[in-house]
Amino acid sequence: MKIFESISDLQNELFIIRKERKTVGLVPTMGALHEGHASLVQRSTKENDVTVVSIFLNPTQFNDKDDLKRYPRTMDDDCKLLKECKVDYVFAPSEKEIYPMPDTRRFEFPPQSTVMEGAKRPGHFNGVCQIVSRLFYIIKPDKAYFGEKDWQQIAVIKRLVPYIGSTTQIVECPIIRDADGLAKSSRNTLLSADERLITPKIYQVLSESLAYAQDHTVEEVRNYVESGINSEEMLNVEYFEIVDGNTLLPVDSWNDSPYIVGCITVYCGRTPIRLIDHIKYKG
């Protein structure tokens, strides 16, 4: 496994790879890697000749600077995991390497980028598009792998790809969960022991709502989920939206779309830690 900090050094290496007509897979990450990231890497190594994993804590997608400061940084452990996964290349650039000058580009792909996370975290998806477009330009991957936990992010990136003229195929990979149902996330490491004990309630209530939805309205299901999760003292639902799976716009009836998804963000604890998840009702 080779580690690159320089764009030019990585591109020179990939130039040789492409001369050999080998395919390149990319797994973009912000570090603090876990089994969910490992599943993306393993799929990439199966489907491509060469896999690049980027580790870059992208400041432009954090609308809350305190959140950026708290984000876990575990480079040594990350490289150990990636070596075990038989990754070919790790791209771990500095902020100056990625953004030698401030990135003033503006990306907006409504409604996918303006609802839910887009509304609650102004500028977040613009920052995501800035870094993903940079990585696609630098690496020019044949395929890029993203976890479905960040489901809305995938919808935005799918809009970004044709906009920037990229031919990269976006590969969606299933959520990896702990045995108790909590979706794997780098932020989980920030939870205290007592906070971690109550977080499975999120997926438990979402799962129970599937059966509840069979004979209840969209509004009733929304209330069921919110009240069920909020019943835990240290859990607080920021939003729970039941949306069309393509447009991400809210639905009022189960007949409004053949593809319906429930998307949730929950604050946990006193800090608090922000956790996201989703459940598919139709489609």
Side-chain angles (χ1 to χ4, degrees), residues 57-109:
L57 188 52
N58 178 40
T60 70
Q61 69 189 70
F62 284 82
N63 63 309
D64 181 349
K65 298 309 177 186
D66 289 335
D67 190 22
L68 175 60
K69 290 177 184 177
R70 289 197 305 265
Y71 200 89
R73 293 159 172 83
T74 58
M75 185 66 181
D76 291 343
D77 289 341
D78 293 346
C79 287
K80 181 180 179 181
L81 184 150
L82 294 176
K83 192 171 184 179
E84 292 172 355
C85 291
K86 303 188 186 309
V87 165
D88 300 283
Y89 305 124
V90 174
F91 181 43
S94 66
E95 183 178 342
K96 188 174 181 180
E97 185 74 5
I98 291 292
Y99 301 120
M101 298 179 65
D103 194 335
T104 59
R105 295 175 298 161
R106 291 291 176 262
F107 298 93
E108 200 70 90
F109 301 108

Side-chain angles (χ1 to χ4, degrees), residues 160-226:
L160 171 71
V161 169
Y163 181 81
I164 62 175
S166 172
T167 58
T168 298
Q169 178 185 343
I170 304 304
V171 182
E172 303 175 45
C173 301
I175 293 176
I176 302 299
R177 299 183 181 276
D178 283 329
D180 58 14
L182 181 65
K184 293 280 188 180
S185 171
S186 300
R187 297 177 193 277
N188 292 356
T189 61
L190 301 175
L191 295 166
S192 66
D194 58 337
E195 290 167 352
R196 179 62 186 82
L197 286 174
I198 64 170
T199 51
K201 183 78 170 183
I202 300 169
Y203 188 60
Q204 175 191 331
V205 174
L206 287 176
S207 299
E208 291 170 352
S209 76
L210 290 175
Y212 187 81
Q214 297 303 309
D215 53 6
H216 291 82
T217 67
V218 168
E219 182 64 23
E220 288 170 335
V221 171
R222 187 181 296 111
N223 292 336
Y224 175 88
V225 169
E226 290 181 356

